[in-house]
Amino acid sequence: MMSWRVISSVICPNTGIVYSYIVGVKLLRLIIWYESDIYLVPGDRIHPSKDGVFINGTFNPITIYNVSPYNETLWNEIKSKMACPFNKDLQAEGCPYSVHCNARKCPHGFATNPLLNGMTNNH
């Protein structure tokens, strides 16, 4: 079974898509664009199989939108364009962007866009 190791991840709060830089056998390096209720962190192991994707040995639903060869320039550009404050500073106290965030689940534990989660203030 092929295995991939996560090197780094960043999330786009505008779309909820996560970008992860991963390394596989023979040091094949890729960037995957995905959406899921999980957030891949450095060191996580991805095992694709005919039954689905297993992350650290546990099945997890994941929608992969794109896979591209890793390119340092592209990866740095992706990282620099993401508005999530935690992509740049993991020690931040709060998230001023959370009311605009369209992530299914904030990987840093903050509430995301209430309209996305089905909660409205008008009803």
Side-chain angles (χ1 to χ4, degrees):
M1 180 188 301
M2 182 173 279
S3 174
W4 299 88
R5 182 172 47 93
V6 177
I7 303 300
S8 182
S9 293
V10 293
I11 190 166
C12 176
N14 297 325
T15 63
I17 293 176
V18 179
Y19 301 83
S20 291
Y21 163 28
I22 61 175
V23 175
V25 294
K26 297 184 181 181
L27 299 178
L28 179 61
R29 301 179 304 164
L30 301 172
I31 298 172
I32 60 171
W33 308 10
Y34 71 92
E35 200 169 11
S36 181
D37 288 337
I38 60 157
Y39 182 79
L40 299 173
V41 297
D44 279 350
R45 295 283 180 174
I46 304 167
H47 300 277
S49 76
K50 63 179 178 143
D51 299 321
V53 177
F54 291 81
I55 310 295
N56 300 324
T58 304
F59 172 77
N60 286 283
I62 185 170
T63 302
I64 297 181
Y65 294 111
N66 192 22
V67 177
S68 59
Y70 174 81
N71 171 296
E72 187 172 359
T73 303
L74 174 62
W75 182 245
N76 287 333
E77 185 177 334
I78 289 170
K79 289 191 316 182
S80 72
K81 290 185 176 182
M82 299 302 127
C84 176
F86 288 90
N87 289 334
K88 295 175 180 68
D89 180 12
L90 291 174
Q91 306 304 320
E93 296 278 325
C95 182
Y97 204 84
S98 66
V99 296
H100 307 287
C101 186
N102 289 312
R104 287 187 195 174
K105 180 179 178 185
C106 174
H108 309 291
F110 295 100
T112 58
N113 187 333
L115 295 176
L116 182 71
N117 291 320
M119 298 181 278
T120 62
N121 294 331
N122 298 334
H123 298 283

